[in-house]
Structure formats: C-alpha cells, structure tokens
Amino acid sequence: MLDRNIGLRQLRAFLTLAETLNFTQAAAELGTTQPTLTRTVHRLEEELGVRLLDRTTRQVALSAEGTRLRGELLVLLPRLEAALSPAAGPAPLRLGFTWLLPGDWLHEAIGRFEEETGVPVELSRKDELHAGVTQGAVDVALLRTKEVPRGLRSLELGREQQVAAVAQGSPLARRTSLEWTELARHPIVANTVSGTVRGDCWPADHRPGTVVECGNFDEWLELIAADRGIGVGPALLRRRRPHPAVAFVPLTGVEPVPLRLVRPAQGPHPYAERLMRLARTVLTEHHATHIPPRSVIPQGEAGP
C-alpha cells in the first residue's frame, strides 16, 4: 500500500473546488478561507504527485488527473463518509417545501441522492414563508422567490413560467392566453404566506382593486374554484391540475419566477449542498432529453 497522508477533509475540499471551480465560493461553502483552501489542495497534489488543477490569473480548470479524481470521488467519498458515520446510520436530510414540488426531475434527483449517499430524504410541507429552513425545522428548502434572506446559501435551479388560475365556470377559462396587465382588472387571490404574487406586483397606477388574501396553497385553490378571484402560479399547474374546478391559462408579459434550493450558511447538514447541486444537474439533464414547452427553464438558459 502506498504511504500517503491524505485525509477526508482534503478530499472534500478538492471535490467542492472541483464542483465550483472558484476558490472564493468553495472556501465559503467549506467554512474556511481561500488561502487555507489553496494550501489544502496544494498538499493533496504533493501527496498524489500530480497536478489536479490548471490555474491562471483568470480561471481555474481541472487537469486530466483532476477530472479523473473528481469522477471517482463523486461516488466513493459519500460512501466512505457514510461508512465512517455512527452505526445508527446517517441523519436524514429534511427537505422542506410550501406547496407543489416542481416536477418528476426532483423525485429523480432525490432517488439518485439516496442511492449514492445512503442518506434518506424526508419531505416536509411547511406553510411558512421559507418552508421552515430559517427556523431549523428542515435542512434544505425549495423556494419560489427572487429575494433570499441573509444567513441562507441559495442555489438557483431555474425559472418557472407562470399561468393564471381561474374558475372553470369563468369566461376567462376559455381563453388561450391572458396578458399580465389585464389581470389587474379582476380580483386577485394572493397566498401571502408562501405565494409569489401580491397586489403590489403590478405598477402603482394599475393595481388590482381587490386582493383576496389567504395563508396556504389549499385555501388559494378553493378561493379560485369559488370564483373569488384569479391566482398566478407556476406552469406545472396545467399538467398537475390539482383542482377539478380550476382552469390554468398561459400568461404573457410576466417574468418567470426563480426556483431555488436554500440551506443555512452556517452549520448545514453535511449532505445539503450535494443534494442541491445534484438537483440542478438532474434538471439540466431532464430538459436536454425532453421536448418543450417547459414549465421550468434551467438556470443559465434564455427565457421565452
């Protein structure tokens, strides 16, 4: 056996850097400093006797050996860390959400994560603005929001296109599309706890005259079904059809809403970041092999 002094922290540091290719970002994720991370990776290169990274003043790239090692560690390191965990097994990773999960690709990502790491994922619906992550009730939360509060590390997965939700008996249900600005001529149903639309989303001189507020997704659906107003939600609602008395009509003139996974910046679950990055990878793979129209535009792609 080769006499090498290589620790798990060195391997985890390299893998994090290999995923981000950014010393500043990787150091932040690891809770260390950039100089410390640089020294850690340099010592790993010395122990292995190979160059893992090609560095210039402008960018960092993996060498051929670095690419090979990254591929091996993606599979081996989680299994090794799990094997060294207490006999009771790894702590479950709690994934919080406020309402509908965004698609089959997330279930696929969860399945792959559990298979690769041996860490079970517990789904937990929370009718709370940040799905329980700021309260420590979950380890990772799925949020539909443009703003992320301080103290959370956010990874944008993509952007969800939006549709209008109207009562089946409404004349609007027969429309092929609706313009964002014309919604303001009707009462709006707004989930003020975990929804993405409020009355002030419209220009000050063109806001809805009536906003019917509610506190969760179920109330939102029932109010729309009762024709109390129009709601706005992600395009996946057209495919899921969560209520038989509600129709979902494509919207024009409205920006897609960012879809994010977030975790605490300090003291996160040790596998939180891995699940977040795997989810984004699977979403990208899913859209590369599926035919548009898409309900989620992967992060980095152009909008409609």
Side-chain angles (χ1 to χ4, degrees):
M1 179 179 293
L2 295 175
D3 184 17
R4 288 174 176 167
N5 184 22
I6 298 175
L8 289 179
R9 289 186 179 181
Q10 288 175 292
L11 298 177
R12 174 55 62 191
F14 166 74
L15 187 56
T16 301
L17 181 58
E19 292 293 294
T20 62
L21 294 179
N22 183 296
F23 275 89
T24 301
Q25 183 178 340
E29 291 181 14
L30 293 165
T32 187
T33 64
Q34 184 175 337
T36 298
L37 176 59
T38 300
R39 290 192 297 270
T40 298
V41 174
H42 181 64
R43 284 196 293 268
L44 178 59
E45 289 179 317
E46 289 182 335
E47 289 290 339
L48 294 175
V50 297
R51 188 180 72 256
L52 299 174
L53 300 168
D54 292 323
R55 308 172 180 84
T56 69
T57 56
R58 294 187 176 182
Q59 65 178 8
V60 177
L62 292 175
S63 67
E65 280 298 320
T67 300
R68 182 196 64 79
L69 181 60
R70 173 186 175 274
E72 296 285 351
L73 290 179
L74 282 173
V75 176
L76 296 177
L77 188 56
R79 293 185 178 276
L80 179 57
E81 290 174 332
L84 297 176
S85 296
L93 190 151
R94 301 163 299 172
L95 175 59
F97 62 101
T98 55
W99 39 298
L100 292 180
L101 294 178
D104 296 340
W105 56 269
L106 183 56
H107 294 292
E108 179 183 338
I110 291 171
R112 282 172 53 174
F113 171 84
E114 290 179 330
E115 181 179 355
E116 292 176 5
T117 65
V119 177
V121 175
E122 296 180 353
L123 297 177
S124 179
R125 172 174 160 172
K126 304 289 184 183
D127 290 324
E128 192 270 332
L129 181 60
H130 300 115
V133 71
T134 55
Q135 302 169 347
V138 299
D139 303 301
V140 177
L142 179 78
L143 302 181
R144 294 170 168 93
T145 180
K146 294 181 180 179
E147 303 294 332
V148 178
R150 295 181 63 181
L152 295 181
R153 151 79 174 149
S154 169
L155 182 66
E156 183 176 333
L157 302 174
R159 290 158 291 149
E160 288 186 313
Q161 298 171 339
Q162 303 296 290
V163 296
V166 301
Q168 280 283 8
S170 168
L172 298 177
R174 297 190 289 274
R175 295 275 297 274
T176 57
S177 68
L178 290 168
E179 170 63 33
W180 170 254
T181 55
E182 71 175 293
L183 296 189
R185 299 200 294 265
H186 304 271
I188 297 297
V189 179
N191 176 354
T192 58
V193 174
S194 57
T196 58
V197 171
R198 311 283 192 277
D200 59 5
C201 291
W202 283 265
D205 59 347
H206 199 73
R207 288 179 180 170
T210 302
V211 177
V212 181
E213 297 185 348
C214 61
N216 60 53
F217 179 62
D218 301 313
E219 292 176 1
W220 182 81
L221 279 175
E222 294 298 344
L223 286 167
I224 295 167
D227 205 13
R228 300 293 180 85
I230 299 173
V232 177
L236 70 92
L237 290 166
R238 294 192 72 201
R239 179 164 53 87
R240 296 280 189 88
R241 298 191 180 280
H243 198 296
V246 178
F248 301 96
V249 183
L251 267 178
T252 59
V254 60
E255 292 185 0
V257 174
L259 181 69
R260 307 175 184 275
L261 284 172
V262 302
R263 62 148 174 95
Q266 301 296 325
H269 188 289
Y271 287 89
E273 190 73 20
R274 181 172 177 82
L275 175 63
M276 292 164 62
R277 293 190 176 279
L278 182 58
R280 189 166 69 178
T281 297
V282 172
L283 173 61
T284 302
E285 295 172 352
H286 181 89
H287 281 270
T289 57
H290 286 68
I291 299 174
R294 313 172 186 180
S295 60
V296 183
I297 307 165
Q299 196 254 357
E301 293 191 12

